């Protein structure tokens, strides 16, 4: 059974060394086919009726791909249509050397039972092992080994053929020489592309073929060469280059900024303008920039430019566009401007978007337009443009050669046809990097077993608050209720107010799979008609949700207050509550207003409402901002899930009542955990915006002769209150919308890593998130910290590690931001769906910003913002005079009223 | 199982918990509390002595090398060479399956002058063993034992035995250690009490090294001792095993040994199932130790079959030559 074979192997670095290894050849390696009667295998992997429907092979056959085919067409091999493939050990090893990710994917395929992939250990088989001949390269030897193994298979299957079905093996290769030699030894060879092309069963797999042989070439060099990494590093060290992250502009494809992180606070932004200077950087790459001499500095342009050029006729047009940029920028206040000299790190990912099929019908090269406007268009090769057009597809960038106007990429997969709700939802989740797969079994295994009930042991550790008249107030249709309130009068005339928060940290224990998953997801994402949960549904909608008339565990924050809403005593405890009612905002409002109702719940609500008003007044006196952003709610048809109507969110007194107490609880908890853990408390801050951020607000106000003071939050709040224009009631709201855009993002941080805790918007010296642990992970951490602080739970190392906390906070901030973007995108999509059925409407709108060739318009009724271009392809631009100072456009001919028409909806 | 303990401060070196003498586990002068979590990952060079009764592993005895005890550095375990040591199909680098030994070939009586000699190949590892004695004590007489023979072992490697040619002086740390291990092994196997006040010399030379040097030396020396006609309790068979992907691999070759596998060498008296020596020089989770020892014993029994055949064949040849 064992044959020993020693052979001499190559040298190692430096000195020449002879390495001798044994190589045993075996006669007990089976072929793995069901047909074979000779091999004594226990279970055959390869099926008897191995038939991939294909034009070329009408008989049953097994495929043997060579290394290059595996490396380049792994997407195809992954397709469920492709089955009964023999992977030779030679191939597997070569793939392992060449590309780790492909190797990983190949192994996954092999492990999948339904795919019927068999690994044949040809290197150790007595009949298929070959030695390298003198003068033969390693690659040639491997190719030969593959051919020998293929030959062995075809002969082996022929001899053992019991029921002459004519089972054959097909070698797949893209290599010319290999094909020729294989044909000489009368093997069945097909070039991978062609054989795949004729597969009838599915249309899908061969679309994935990316052609590697014929590169897209044109002689003209469009871009300057990127510098090698060594020179970039030297340059950064010497200060002649700057390193930063590249952020493409949403409005103008010829413009971008590079955000250079400086020491501490002084981070700068470098403006990049023009294709040459952008030099093939893609959004979010880490790049090296060289600053241009000061006389070439320009200001960000006021033009909205979209890359409309097709692959062919782009040059002339582009030059014009670039010229337009320059002129507008010449005189104005210029910013540091630079050019990109090299890419330090690409952060390419697969992008979602649409295919712009080429005009020429037979052409295989097409442009792909990503959904994210900041990503350049990508050139891909496919023969399936006709089927792919109108679908949302995913495309990965392969590279961007210096002579190509667009990056080259390849098709990854199709997400479905455009405009369909599921497809679009998938697109926006992928684009915003929202983890939205179902929870894994490992995660679900940590769920409590049903039926679940509070045990006596739990009761011992918790305070029994079931007797209190607790109720929850939430938006309609809310199933993850994470807060409930109560208020009652004490014997001494003071009021006891309690905020009860779902005790999620009881169910999610630190470090287990569920905890890790929740920490990764960071937040629940609410889309129109869909919710992507952070924790499994059993917890979010049942066990943690503080529904009415069931016993639930809670984390309570209880104050004693006097009737001036001054806090006399604060207490935190883990508790068991039994909510008496879950109300909507409208229901709660009705109870408060209805003087005939006098039950406990209503009494409690009235007490809360009274205190909330006082709290709000106090807060506003301290300088808290009330800002505005338009939020739209859709009425969704329960059958088709199409939006049938939409309304802007209405704010009621009860909204602000709940909000006040949540703020109060958050602030109290923040203070408590910071006192207890000054180094590792998870807090939330909202930095004051730099004065320059207010420019747009000030300019807009000035256009109506209104003065806005932005020295402090208080001054801003006061002057916003005072900003009113007669006959223009919406002006104040518009200003508040603009003010919202001036603000910085509020962020989570770890108290040990930062010194500025101030929350600008709420005018609070310290703040955290405590009140929504079902939908935010930060709250779970805060719960754990608070539980340790009141000795209700034990601590664990990661909780006290400020670096780990800080890393977690960064992830949470990222997820939070992305979820907001995803929510907005979802609303925008539903708005479009809404308009699709409605046709053209006339609606009043307001101009938000003015650009040189376009205005940005807001339609308050739909919460819709869009760009209106003055000049479209078929219509010449009206004669406009652009004034950069105000900024504004004077329209000589009053008959062009852009507000009146439906804005072009660009996403 | 009998336990020998030493008078040492009885606190676990890692968790500092005091331990009753009967419970403590001692590895190279370091005491571990069996409940201590650090002990779970124990790493040790341990020499086990053979027990007269039927037993598995004896007490862990401290190493007696010259000079101060060194704190050996940890080697991070893991596949450093980046080789796939065990493929999904269950084949190793050289095409063997996990439990298969390398090809063993041996000859006895290769030298005429010596009392006993043998040459043994296990794959590409080749060793020559020569036995002199039993004879009178040479050198210092103080080592003489009045109740048994003293076994003197010397291990050396040929300059040309590895890929890189290298002068190997006698008495370096590695070979001293190896000599000591051999001595312990054969003291457990040879019936030394039959030859009081005498000495048996065993010289082993590695001619080509490709992993498992210790076990090849033991196997070769066993044949040489048999060739010399010195009575033994049983064949001593040795084998190394490594642990990869939850699978024990028998008889490691050099590529595997250097691939970062935690390996264990075991010398067995196969008939009684007694362990003559157990050496482990890497980190291994305690839970896997049992399985690893089990695999090593199976491998040793495989070796013993081969050795037995060699001896029988040699006897036949000799008897034909002597005309019986």
């Amino acid at each position: 059974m064992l044959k020993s074979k020693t052979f001499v192997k190559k040298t190692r670095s430096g000195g020449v060394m002879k390495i001798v290894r044994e190589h045993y050849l075996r006669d007990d390696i089976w072929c793995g086919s069901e047909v074979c009667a000779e091999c004594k295998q226990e279970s055959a992997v390869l099926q008897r009726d191995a038939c991939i429907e294909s034009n070329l092979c009408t008989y049953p056959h097994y495929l043997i791909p060579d290394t290059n085919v595996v490396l380049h067409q792994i997407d195809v091999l992954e397709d469920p249509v492709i089955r009964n493939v023999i992977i030779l050990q030679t191939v597997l090893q070569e793939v392992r050397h060449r590309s780790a990710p492909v190797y990983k994917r190949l192994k996954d395929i092999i492990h999948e039972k339904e795919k019927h992939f068999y690994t044949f250990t040809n290197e150790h088989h007595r009949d298929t092992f070959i030695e390298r001949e003198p003068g033969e390269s390693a690659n040639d030897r491997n190719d030969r080994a593959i051919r020998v193994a293929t030959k062995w298979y075809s002969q082996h299957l022929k001899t053992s053929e019991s029921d002459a079905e004519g089972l054959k093996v097909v070698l797949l290769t893209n290599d010319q020489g290999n094909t020729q030699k294989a044909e000489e030894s009368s093997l069945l060879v097909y070039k991978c592309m062609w054989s795949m092309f004729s597969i009838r069963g599915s249309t899908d797999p061969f679309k994935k073929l990316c052609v590697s042989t014929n590169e897209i070439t044109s002689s003209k060099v469009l871009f300057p060469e990127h510098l090698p990494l060594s020179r970039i590093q030297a340059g950064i060290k010497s200060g002649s280059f700057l390193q930063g992250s590249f952020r493409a502009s949403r409005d103008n494809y010829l413009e971008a900024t590079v955000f250079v992180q400086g020491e501490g606070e002084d981070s700068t932004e470098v403006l990049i303008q023009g294709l040459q200077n952008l030099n093939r950087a893609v959004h979010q790459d880490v790049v090296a920039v060289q600053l241009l001499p000061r006389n070439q500095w320009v200001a960000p342009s006021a033009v909205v430019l979209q890359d409309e050029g097709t692959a062919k006729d782009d040059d002339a047009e582009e030059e014009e566009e670039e010229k337009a940029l320059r002129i507008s920028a010449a005189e104005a206040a210029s910013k540091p401007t630079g050019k990109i000299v090299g890419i330090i790190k690409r952060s390419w990912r697969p992008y979602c978007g649409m295919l712009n099929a080429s005009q020429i019908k037979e052409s295989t090269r097409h442009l792909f337009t990503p959904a994210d406007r900041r990503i350049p268009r990508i050139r891909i090769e496919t023969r399936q443009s006709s089927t792919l057009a109108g679908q949302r597809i995913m495309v990965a960038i392969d590279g961007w050669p210096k002579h190509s106007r667009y990056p080259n990429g390849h098709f990854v997969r199709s997400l479905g046809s455009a405009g369909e709700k599921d497809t679009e939802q998938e697109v926006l989740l992928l684009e915003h990097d929202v983890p939205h797969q179902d929870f894994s079994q490992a995660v679900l295994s940590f769920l409590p077993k049903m039926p679940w009930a509070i045990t006596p042991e739990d009761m011992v550790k918790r305070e029994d608050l079931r007797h209190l008249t607790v109720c929850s107030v939430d938006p309609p249709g809310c199933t993850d209720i994470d807060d409930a309130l109560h208020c009652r009068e004490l014997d001494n005339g003071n009021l006891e107010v309690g905020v009860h928060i779902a005790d999620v940290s009881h169910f999610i224990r630190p470090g287990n799979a569920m905890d890790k998953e929740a920490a990764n997801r960071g937040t629940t994402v609410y889309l129109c008609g869909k919710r992507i949960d952070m924790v499994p549904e059993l917890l979010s909608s049942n066990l943690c949700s503080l529904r009415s008339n069931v016993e639930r565990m809670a984390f309570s924050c209880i104050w004693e207050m006097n009737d001036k809403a001054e806090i006399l005593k604060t207490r935190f405890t883990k508790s068991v509550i039994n909510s008496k009612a879950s109300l909507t905002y409208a229901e709660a409002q009705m109870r408060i207003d209805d003087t005939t109702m006098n039950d406990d719940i209503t009494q409690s609500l009235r007490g809360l409402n009274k205190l909330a008003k006082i709290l709000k007044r106090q807060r506003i006196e301290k300088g808290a901002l009330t800002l505005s952003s338009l939020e739209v709610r859709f009425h969704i048809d329960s059958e088709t899930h199409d939006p049938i109507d939409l309304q802007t969110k209405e704010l009621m007194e009860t909204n602000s009542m709940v909000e006040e107490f949540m703020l109060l609880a958050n602030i109290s908890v923040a203070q408590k955990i910071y006192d207890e853990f000054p180094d590792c408390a998870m807090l939330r801050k909202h930095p004051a915006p730099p004065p320059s951020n207010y420019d747009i607000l000030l300019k807009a106000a000035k256009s109506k002769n209104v003065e806005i003071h932005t020295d402090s939050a208080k001054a801003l709040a006061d002057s916003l209150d005072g900003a009113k224009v007669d006959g223009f009631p919406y002006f104040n709201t518009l200003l508040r919308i603009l003010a919202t855009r001036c603000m910085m993002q509020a962020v989570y941080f770890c108290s040990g890593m930062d010194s500025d805790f101030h929350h600008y918007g709420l005018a609070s010296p310290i703040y955290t998130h405590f009140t929504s642990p079902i939908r935010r992970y930060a709250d779970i951490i805060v719960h754990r910290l608070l539980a340790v602080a009141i000795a209700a739970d034990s601590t664990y190392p990661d909780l006290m590690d400020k670096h780990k906390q800080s890393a977690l906070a960064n992830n949470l901030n990222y997820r939070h931001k992305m979820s907001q973007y995803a929510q907005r995108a979802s609303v925008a999509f539903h708005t479009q769906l809404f308009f699709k059925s409605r046709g053209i409407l006339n609606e009043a709108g307001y101009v938000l910003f003015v650009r040189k060739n376009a205005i940005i318009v807001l339609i308050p009724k739909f919460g819709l913002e869009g760009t209106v271009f003055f000049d479209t392809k078929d219509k010449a631009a009206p004669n406009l005079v652009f004034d950069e100072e105000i900024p504004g456009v004077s329209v000589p001919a009053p008959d062009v009223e852009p507000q009146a028409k439906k804005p072009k909806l660009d996403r | 199982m009998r336990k020998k303990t030493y008078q040492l401060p009885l606190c676990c070196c890692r968790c500092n918990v005091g331990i009753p003498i009967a419970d403590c586990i001692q590895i190279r002068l370091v005491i571990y509390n069996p409940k201590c979590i650090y002990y779970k990952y124990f790493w040790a060079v341990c020499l086990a002595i053979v027990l007269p009764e039927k037993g598995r592993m004896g007490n862990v005895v401290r190493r007696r090398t010259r000079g101060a005890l060194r704190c050996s550095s940890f080697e991070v375990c893991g596949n450093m060479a980046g080789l796939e040591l065990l493929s999904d199909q269950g084949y190793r680098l050289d095409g063997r399956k996990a439990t298969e030994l390398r090809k063993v070939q041996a000859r006895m009586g290769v030298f005429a002058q010596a009392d006993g000699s043998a040459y043994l190949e296990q794959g590409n590892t080749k060793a020559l063993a020569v036995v002199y004695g039993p004879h009178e004590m040479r050198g210092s007489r103080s080592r003489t034992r009045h109740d048994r023979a003293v076994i003197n072992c010397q291990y050396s490697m040929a300059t040309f035995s590895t890929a890189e040619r290298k002068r190997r002086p006698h008495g370096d740390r590695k070979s001293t250690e190896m000599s000591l291990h051999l001595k312990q092994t054969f003291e457990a196997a040879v019936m030394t009490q039959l030859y009081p006040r005498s000495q048996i010399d065993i010289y082993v030379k590695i001619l080509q090294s490709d992993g498992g040097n210790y076990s090849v030396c033991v196997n070769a020396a066993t044949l040489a001792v048999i060739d010399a006609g010195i009575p033994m309790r049983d064949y001593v068979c040795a084998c190394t095993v490594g642990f990869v992907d939850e699978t024990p691999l028998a008889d490691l070759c050099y590529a595997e040994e250097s691939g970062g596998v935690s390996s264990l060498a075991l010398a067995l008296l196969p008939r009684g199932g007694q362990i003559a020596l157990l050496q482990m020089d890497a980190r291994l989770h305690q839970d896997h130790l049992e399985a690893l020892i089990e695999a090593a014993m199976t491998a040793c029994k495989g070796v013993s079959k081969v050795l037995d055949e060699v001896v029988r064949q040699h006897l036949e040849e000799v008897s034909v030559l002597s005309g019986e």
Side-chain angles (χ1 to χ4, degrees), chain A residues 317-549:
Chain A
E317 232 172 80
E318 236 147 54
E319 269 158 34
E320 244 167 69
E321 282 173 354
E322 278 187 42
K323 225 178 280 165
L325 275 182
R326 301 269 155 67
I327 298 161
S328 71
E331 68 271 28
S334 49
K335 273 191 166 184
T337 308
K339 64 172 182 187
I340 289 176
V341 292
I343 310 282
I344 295 163
K345 191 171 160 269
R346 290 284 193 192
S347 57
W348 288 341
R349 58 185 171 90
Y351 299 101
C352 303
M354 298 275 288
L355 189 77
N356 294 23
S358 162
Q359 275 95 345
I360 305 157
K361 212 175 152 211
E362 284 77 34
S363 166
T364 54
R365 290 181 205 165
H366 304 276
L367 274 181
F368 159 85
T369 311
D372 189 343
R373 239 193 277 164
R374 291 168 296 189
I375 308 296
R377 296 200 277 169
I378 301 164
R379 196 198 310 264
I380 61 170
E381 286 217 355
T382 175
R383 289 168 188 280
Q384 293 300 306
S385 60
S386 49
T387 38
L388 286 184
Q391 287 194 356
R392 290 275 174 195
I393 57 173
M394 252 174 132
V395 162
I397 303 184
D398 296 330
W400 197 339
K402 63 183 175 216
H403 46 68
S404 159
R405 168 71 177 77
Y406 296 105
N408 296 332
H410 68 269
F411 169 73
V412 177
R413 69 188 174 107
S414 165
L415 302 167
S417 59
E420 258 172 43
K421 208 162 312 104
D422 292 343
T423 315
E424 297 298 330
Q425 209 139 52
E426 178 88 9
V427 168
L428 68 94
L429 288 174
L430 284 169
E431 275 299 295
H432 294 98
D433 194 16
V434 176
H436 60 282
Q437 315 79 355
D438 292 341
F439 287 100
S440 67
Q441 277 306 314
V443 172
L444 295 178
S445 69
F446 286 99
L447 286 176
K449 299 276 164 303
M450 294 304 282
W452 174 87
I454 295 173
T455 59
E457 293 95 82
D458 290 329
M459 288 300 285
V460 172
K461 288 185 216 144
R462 290 166 180 273
E463 203 170 318
D464 188 357
L465 300 179
R466 283 176 292 185
H467 56 280
L468 295 175
T469 37
V470 175
C471 66
S472 60
V473 184
D474 283 288
C478 176
T479 58
D480 49 348
I481 305 168
D482 39 23
D483 49 71
L485 298 156
H486 88 272
C487 172
R488 64 169 177 174
E489 203 156 326
L490 294 176
D491 299 338
N492 58 8
N494 287 336
L495 290 167
E496 184 193 74
V497 178
V499 167
H500 310 275
I501 306 298
D503 191 5
V504 181
S505 61
H506 174 85
F507 296 100
I508 301 187
R509 302 309 299 166
N512 69 25
M514 189 153 69
D515 181 51
K516 281 181 186 143
E517 180 69 27
N520 180 35
R521 292 186 179 217
T523 174
T524 296
V525 181
Y526 294 88
L527 304 179
C528 295
K530 188 174 169 145
R531 187 178 79 198
I532 318 277
D533 277 322
M534 180 183 80
V535 295
E537 181 154 16
L538 178 67
L539 289 184
S540 67
S541 304
N542 187 358
L543 298 186
C544 288
S545 179
L546 303 176
R547 299 189 298 186
S548 55
N549 300 320

Side-chain angles (χ1 to χ4, degrees), chain A residues 22 24 26 96 103 107 119, chain B residues 82 84 88-89 94-95 100 123:
Chain A
E22 280 178 297
Y24 288 88
R26 318 179 62 107
R96 190 166 183 274
Y103 178 68
K107 274 200 131 176
T119 318
Chain B
E84 193 183 40
D88 288 342
Q89 291 71 47
D94 51 10
E100 285 170 355

Side-chain angles (χ1 to χ4, degrees), chain A residues 159-174:
Chain A
T159 53
S160 63
E161 211 175 306
S162 44
D163 48 347
E165 269 176 346
L167 195 61
K168 292 194 172 131
V169 283
V170 175
L171 176 66
L172 289 184
T173 176
N174 271 338

Side-chain angles (χ1 to χ4, degrees), chain A residues 191-206:
Chain A
K191 289 193 80 176
C192 184
M193 248 184 70
W194 293 108
S195 80
M196 290 298 140
F197 196 70
S198 48
I199 289 171
R200 265 190 251 121
S202 145
T203 51
D204 234 21
F206 55 92

Side-chain angles (χ1 to χ4, degrees), chain B residues 130-136 138 150-154 199-203 230:
Chain B
V130 177
V131 172
Y132 292 94
H135 54 73
E136 246 179 77
R138 291 192 190 126
V150 171
I151 291 183
N152 174 34
C153 285
Q154 242 179 48
Q199 179 182 351
I200 300 168
D201 294 322
I202 303 176
Y203 301 108
I230 300 171

Side-chain angles (χ1 to χ4, degrees), chain A residues 615-785:
Chain A
L615 286 170
K616 183 164 187 183
R617 207 182 53 233
Q618 287 174 351
R619 213 160 52 81
I620 288 174
E621 269 165 24
K622 271 195 267 170
L625 294 173
T626 36
L627 299 172
S628 177
S629 62
L630 279 177
E631 278 188 74
V632 186
R633 266 194 90 80
F634 285 96
H635 291 281
I636 303 236
D637 191 308
S638 55
E639 289 295 311
T640 59
H641 298 289
D642 284 332
I644 45 178
D645 193 9
L646 88 185
Q647 68 183 128
T648 42
K649 232 184 216 171
E650 216 177 313
L651 286 180
M652 272 178 275
E653 238 175 28
T654 40
N655 284 53
S656 102
M657 174 187 91
V658 174
E659 193 190 330
E660 283 310 319
F661 284 104
M662 293 307 130
L663 292 178
L664 192 63
N666 285 338
I667 293 169
S668 298
V669 171
Q671 195 59 51
K672 173 81 179 171
I673 56 172
Y674 179 63
D675 288 347
E676 206 75 25
F677 307 104
D679 261 357
C680 57
M682 172 79 84
L683 300 177
R684 189 168 172 83
K685 70 171 174 183
H686 183 205
S692 62
N693 275 22
Y694 287 119
D695 284 354
I696 50 162
L697 178 65
L698 295 179
K699 273 184 184 169
K702 227 165 118 193
S703 69
K704 292 284 175 198
N705 293 324
V706 175
E707 194 99 354
I708 298 283
H709 300 280
T710 56
D711 327 334
S712 68
K714 175 88 175 121
L716 178 64
D718 288 346
S719 52
L720 277 177
D721 285 342
K724 289 202 174 79
V725 173
D726 289 334
F728 192 0
Y730 202 69
F731 180 66
N732 191 274
T733 319
L734 275 183
L735 276 191
R736 284 181 199 275
I737 291 171
L738 283 183
T740 314
R741 305 210 175 162
C742 303
M743 294 296 148
M744 305 282 280
Q745 281 267 346
V747 288
Y748 297 108
F749 68 103
C750 173
S751 60
M753 307 292 280
D754 209 326
S755 53
D756 174 29
F757 295 179
H758 196 258
H759 198 290
Y760 182 79
L762 297 172
S764 166
I766 191 163
Y767 191 67
T768 190
H769 268 163
F770 168 71
T771 52
S772 301
I774 299 180
R775 61 188 176 88
R776 292 188 303 231
Y777 189 75
D779 301 51
I780 295 181
I781 292 291
V782 171
H783 273 232
R784 286 181 187 154
L785 285 165

